Amino acid sequence: MNFYIVLIINAIFINNFVLSQFLGICPFLGVSKKTDTALGMGFAVIFVMGIASIITYAMSLLLDILDAQYLRTIVFILVIAALVQLVEMVIKKFSPSLYSALGVYLPLITTNCAVLGVAIMNVTNFVKVNLLISFINGAASGVGFTLAILLLAGIRERLERSQVPEPFKGFPITLIIAGVMSMAFAAFSGMVF
């Protein structure tokens, strides 16, 4: 049980894909203007990362049996693209306002390197473990992404009402905030030994 808790804490805080490994920066910076949009993107990423972790782990085992590991990245991208299309159709059907708010960033989950990164890490770092650990790592990594994007969205909403010096308005202050958040998350690295 302790292993799973450490795995979850590690994926959310210590090895946060956005703030520690700098993967998935495009949707992190692009969709973090409003918390409701950031939350919708976060849930979509959690779903895609969790399900993609299961499917890509199983596909990796199949590719190992067929001795076709060289196809791993291509297969993973195809799986992720199919899942993103499914998420896009569901969001478009049930929440058109969220679909229009996410705009181009929803299909960009397909090329979100954080999603591909967790799939590749699951099969390279956790080769000798089971499917459950792969799923937990994927879903917890999605929660870490969601936490990071929600924190940035909350700060950016607050900055809309603040007086920011003219040269820092907009994207420059967003990058500064993301850097400070990254340094804050680096403090978690000593949490688990």
Side-chain angles (χ1 to χ4, degrees), residues 37 42 48-49 67 91 96 120 126 147 151-152 159 179 190:
T37 310
V48 170
M49 279 186 165
D67 197 29
I91 290 176
I120 290 173
F126 301 123
L147 175 68
L151 288 172
L152 184 63
L159 280 176

Side-chain angles (χ1 to χ4, degrees), residues 44-89:
V45 169
I46 290 171
F47 176 79
V48 170
M49 279 186 165
I51 302 301
S53 293
I54 293 171
I55 296 172
T56 56
Y57 187 86
M59 294 302 290
S60 178
L61 294 176
L62 179 65
L63 291 173
D64 287 345
I65 292 169
L66 298 173
D67 197 29
Q69 296 91 349
Y70 58 90
L71 294 174
R72 189 177 284 162
T73 304
I74 295 169
V75 170
F76 288 3
I77 290 172
L78 291 174
V79 167
I80 292 166
L83 285 171
V84 170
Q85 287 300 313
L86 175 70
V87 168
E88 190 173 4
M89 288 187 301

Side-chain angles (χ1 to χ4, degrees), residues 182-193:
S182 179
M183 288 187 293
F185 270 65
F188 289 118
S189 63
M191 209 163 104
V192 177
F193 44 90

Side-chain angles (χ1 to χ4, degrees), residues 97-172:
S97 61
L98 178 61
Y99 178 78
S100 63
L102 290 175
V104 71
Y105 294 101
L106 185 59
L108 281 178
I109 295 175
T110 303
T111 59
N112 185 343
C113 50
V115 179
L116 183 60
V118 77
I120 290 173
M121 280 181 54
N122 280 338
V123 298
T124 56
N125 292 348
F126 301 123
V127 174
K128 298 295 181 197
V129 296
N130 59 28
L131 194 61
L132 177 64
I133 292 174
S134 180
F135 171 73
I136 290 172
N137 185 48
S141 295
V143 171
F145 178 88
T146 305
L147 175 68
I149 198 170
L150 277 175
L151 288 172
L152 184 63
I155 293 169
R156 287 180 77 176
E157 282 183 349
R158 189 132 189 210
L159 280 176
E160 291 291 322
R161 299 182 302 270
S162 301
Q163 292 182 354
V164 177
E166 192 63 37
F168 295 111
K169 281 188 179 177
F171 202 63

